[in-house]
Amino acid sequence: MKTILLAISLLFSVSLYSQKVTLLYVNSSWNKSNDYKHLDLLKNVKVLKVNYDDQPKKFKEQVKSVPAIILFDENNKLKRVWQGGLSMKLDVDPKEIQAMINKISND
């Protein structure tokens, strides 16, 4: 039984840490009606969701509008940012985001 649990733990940790790309999704509680609905379609990426309202001032100064999607490579280097703009809504095609994820993963 210990061996099975160890094997499952190992497989889980390998799959968890095999993601080379991290996607940070930022939105505010007052803008939930404009949540980006396509995050679940994205593959080979670790998705982190944060509430803009709970972030430190320095972070808020960098995010010009919500919602925002921010992509980082495995070294946490910023690779791409999409922001909602005046509409407070993201109109980016998930295929565009996936293409960027694939490009970062293959670099």
Side-chain angles (χ1 to χ4, degrees):
M1 184 66 163
K2 279 186 178 180
T3 307
I4 293 172
L5 290 175
L6 182 62
I8 291 171
S9 298
L10 181 62
L11 288 172
F12 179 73
S13 64
V14 167
S15 69
L16 180 66
Y17 290 105
S18 66
Q19 306 296 334
K20 292 176 69 175
V21 182
T22 301
L23 182 150
L24 180 64
Y25 177 71
V26 183
N27 202 358
S28 184
S29 54
W30 52 263
N31 195 38
K32 287 293 180 192
S33 62
N34 289 325
D35 263 345
Y36 188 69
K37 310 284 189 241
H38 306 295
L39 290 177
D40 58 328
L41 299 176
L42 303 174
K43 306 292 182 216
N44 301 318
V45 64
K46 180 180 172 184
V47 177
L48 303 173
K49 295 180 181 181
V50 296
N51 186 336
Y52 176 84
D53 305 323
D54 298 336
Q55 302 310 308
K57 182 179 179 184
K58 190 167 180 118
F59 179 87
K60 289 179 179 180
E61 290 171 353
Q62 300 300 313
V63 177
K64 303 299 181 202
S65 70
V66 292
I69 292 177
I70 307 167
L71 281 180
F72 298 93
D73 67 10
E74 72 272 10
N75 298 315
N76 290 326
K77 182 178 176 187
L78 179 67
K79 289 299 194 175
R80 182 72 162 85
V81 177
W82 293 271
Q83 296 189 61
L86 293 175
S87 69
M88 297 291 182
K89 184 178 178 182
L90 278 170
D91 289 323
V92 61
D93 188 330
K95 291 177 185 173
E96 179 183 341
I97 299 171
Q98 187 64 59
M100 182 57 87
I101 291 167
N102 296 344
K103 181 180 185 297
I104 295 168
S105 295
N106 293 327
D107 285 348

